[in-house]
Amino acid sequence: MPRADFYLIAKPRFRDDPLRLVCELARRAYDSGAPTLILARDRAQAEALDDALWAFDTEAYIPHQIAGEEDPEEDEITPVVIAPPEVDCPDRPMVINLRDAAFAGQCERVLEVVPADPAAREPLRERWRQYKARGFETNKHDM
């Protein structure tokens, strides 16, 4: 059964820098060996996340790239691929979804980052229901 995990931003270190949580989730995914696709909201977010992953942890390198910027074969073998909306990427077992709609493809696990702003949480409640309707096991994590 596929899983949808919702990570609610609560701690100040994530409220002040939400991409830090995305980097932490990407590191966990990489450490687990799961090829990961990060669906960025737009090109600017993809580039900001690329920069954040380079600077995230000086002790650990997370192999990553923005999809479509290198040889397409590199996209297939790079453990973490960041996809801006204008670039189509094949589904991967692990997906970190930062876009405004629920992930519609196939995966073993999708991670949704939930902003600290209570007004921004209502659309994510609808996503929770969408994933449940598709047969996903859903979980909530306070971060």
Side-chain angles (χ1 to χ4, degrees), residues 49-110:
L49 185 54
D50 180 48
D51 291 342
L53 283 168
W54 280 110
F56 174 63
D57 186 344
T58 58
E59 301 295 315
Y61 170 64
I62 303 167
H64 69 281
Q65 69 182 42
I66 296 176
E69 290 194 344
E70 303 289 330
D71 178 349
E73 291 178 11
E74 287 295 316
D75 286 351
E76 293 177 22
I77 62 171
T78 301
V80 177
V81 175
I82 305 164
E86 68 273 8
V87 178
D88 287 329
C89 286
D91 293 344
R92 288 180 158 212
M94 180 80 71
V95 175
I96 301 173
N97 185 25
L98 305 177
R99 296 189 183 163
D100 294 331
F103 174 65
Q106 299 295 315
C107 66
E108 294 171 14
R109 192 168 170 206
V110 62

Side-chain angles (χ1 to χ4, degrees), residues 117-131:
D117 176 13
R121 290 186 174 186
E122 187 55 41
L124 287 145
R125 288 184 180 100
E126 176 57 31
R127 278 194 221 176
W128 178 285
R129 290 187 284 273
Q130 290 173 1
Y131 288 123

